[in-house]
Amino acid sequence: MNDTRRGEARGHVVALCGGIGGAKLALGLSHAVPGEQLVIAVNTGDDFEHLGLHISPDIDTVVYTLAGIVNTESGWGRAEESWCFMEALAMLGGEAWFRLGDKDLATHVERTRRLRAGESLSTVTAGIRKRLGVKACVLPMSDDPVRTTVETGEGVLPFQHYFVRRRCEPEVRAVFYAGADAARLQPDIAHALASPHLWAVILCPSNPYLSLGPMLAIPGMREALTRSAAPVIAVTPLVGGQAVKGPMAKIMNELGIDRTPASIAGFYDGLIDGFILDRADAASASDMDLPIVIEQTVMVTLEDRIALANACLSFADRLAGDGSRKERVA
Ligand code: FO1
């Protein structure tokens, strides 16, 4: 049976996803799970208002990646981009620290226009991803604002000010998800997680503290995961004690968290049925009290992304088949 037919037979898959690392696995999953049977719940804690525009960096990273138009060098923004707007803005002394390419700018302008006309972020995202030819169902984690905020040695910083403007240099003391308590889980995500036709839930290799933390802080999300009919599998974002990209290892040091796969699995404690470790960390498997699969999690080529996606789905099949999921839910 090929992977597509397997997808039709086994129902849908929900992937919880942040930006660059998550988008790579989401792309692999889109080759294994047909069309809207793949539901990608995306972090919006990184969203912010900038230059009067609503920017949703992780949604755009996922949509551009699945549309095949992402800048593969940076992992964000569009390929074959031009920067006339940024250059002109900088010449005027405007705020040029957050780089918006000309084509990318069109996404933010159109998103902002539709939001101001009263559409929800979910509807706007659906419109944009369909126009760009993305078949998978890409959804913001919530239509309500949740804003990741970082308490640092330099004071409290909004996420993009910490991440881009200050290049993750300030020491992190705590991370907050402002607005999460009052946010409503996006209804189609809640519906997909509650469906009896769910095949698997995948926690993509995104930064747990910055990217998946905001999603898990939304009321009802943890319960939706623990009650879901399908196995929940997390893929480690840590390889040999290092992040593939981004500040995760630095943040773990600053927060006093051991840079081990066990720490990541601990962050997801009670939520996951299985954990995928990188080959570099095979020796850590014995430290963990849950089913483990060891894989190559560093995704360089498209084939790597598809192979990891298929490994996640096979792991879900195995966990569903051996009854360990049922045991945990009971
Ligand atoms: N990341 C940067 O490091 N510098 C930038 O100037 C920058 C601009 C940018 C514009 C649009 C967009 O969708 C993403 C952008 N990113 C930029 C990436 C983004 O800040 C982060 O990758 C995510 O928020 C973390 O997942």
Side-chain angles (χ1 to χ4, degrees), residues 189-272:
I189 298 172
H191 186 255
L193 288 170
S195 164
H197 305 295
L198 188 62
W199 176 5
V201 182
I202 314 293
L203 273 51
C204 290
S206 300
N207 185 319
Y209 314 101
L210 297 180
S211 298
L212 294 195
M215 222 178 291
L216 298 177
I218 296 176
M221 184 48 139
R222 288 177 168 270
E223 294 74 13
L225 290 176
T226 49
R227 288 194 193 139
S228 76
V232 181
I233 290 164
V235 179
T236 184
L238 200 65
V239 176
Q242 298 298 330
V244 175
K245 200 172 164 73
M248 187 179 61
K250 178 175 178 282
I251 291 175
M252 290 177 87
N253 286 342
E254 290 165 354
L255 294 176
I257 302 168
D258 287 343
R259 283 189 286 126
T260 60
S263 298
I264 307 290
F267 187 83
Y268 298 132
D269 190 28
L271 299 177
I272 59 174

Side-chain angles (χ1 to χ4, degrees), residues 110-128 143:
E110 180 57 8
R111 173 189 296 119
T112 306
R113 182 190 71 77
R114 291 193 202 175
L115 287 172
R116 290 200 182 133
E119 289 184 41
S120 67
L121 186 58
S122 300
T123 307
V124 176
T125 303
I128 292 173
D143 284 318

Side-chain angles (χ1 to χ4, degrees), residues 18-20 43 46 55-58 60-61 64 76-77 97-101 104 108 159-160 163-164 211:
I20 301 167
N43 172 43
D46 298 8
I55 318 280
S56 294
D58 287 356
D60 291 344
T61 296
Y64 292 163
W76 55 265
W97 57 270
F98 193 79
R99 293 176 55 72
L100 298 174
D104 187 33
H108 312 305
F159 179 77
Q160 296 296 347
F163 194 86
V164 175
S211 298

Side-chain angles (χ1 to χ4, degrees), residues 57-72:
D58 287 356
I59 288 179
D60 291 344
T61 296
V62 170
V63 169
Y64 292 163
T65 300
L66 268 66
I69 57 172
V70 77
N71 177 334
T72 48

Side-chain angles (χ1 to χ4, degrees), residues 23-222:
K24 287 183 181 178
L25 182 56
L27 177 61
L29 287 166
S30 74
H31 283 255
V33 182
E36 294 194 348
Q37 287 188 32
L38 175 60
V39 176
I40 308 173
V42 185
N43 172 43
T44 53
D46 298 8
D47 287 22
F48 74 136
E49 177 106 0
H50 184 61
L51 306 176
L53 300 171
H54 182 107
I55 318 280
S56 294
D58 287 356
I59 288 179
D60 291 344
T61 296
V62 170
V63 169
Y64 292 163
T65 300
L66 268 66
I69 57 172
V70 77
N71 177 334
T72 48
E73 249 168 67
S74 60
W76 55 265
R78 289 190 56 161
E80 292 166 28
E81 187 58 283
S82 57
W83 299 93
C84 298
F85 167 73
M86 268 290 108
E87 283 159 19
L89 184 67
M91 199 174 283
L92 295 173
E95 285 205 51
W97 57 270
F98 193 79
R99 293 176 55 72
L100 298 174
D102 299 332
K103 290 180 189 167
D104 187 33
L105 186 60
T107 305
H108 312 305
V109 169
E110 180 57 8
R111 173 189 296 119
T112 306
R113 182 190 71 77
R114 291 193 202 175
L115 287 172
R116 290 200 182 133
E119 289 184 41
S120 67
L121 186 58
S122 300
T123 307
V124 176
T125 303
I128 292 173
R129 65 100 174 154
K130 283 179 189 170
R131 280 276 176 166
L132 293 175
V134 173
K135 303 266 191 298
C137 189
V138 181
L139 296 167
M141 63 188 193
S142 176
D143 284 318
D144 302 317
V146 178
R147 297 292 173 260
T148 300
T149 308
V150 188
E151 190 183 316
T152 74
E154 297 180 5
V156 174
L157 297 176
F159 179 77
Q160 296 296 347
H161 287 251
Y162 160 76
F163 194 86
V164 175
R165 192 172 206 168
R166 292 292 296 114
R167 298 164 198 239
C168 309
E169 281 166 17
E171 183 187 326
V172 174
R173 296 186 178 158
V175 181
F176 300 102
Y177 314 118
D181 288 351
R184 178 175 175 229
L185 180 59
Q186 204 284 342
D188 295 338
I189 298 172
H191 186 255
L193 288 170
S195 164
H197 305 295
L198 188 62
W199 176 5
V201 182
I202 314 293
L203 273 51
C204 290
S206 300
N207 185 319
Y209 314 101
L210 297 180
S211 298
L212 294 195
M215 222 178 291
L216 298 177
I218 296 176
M221 184 48 139
R222 288 177 168 270

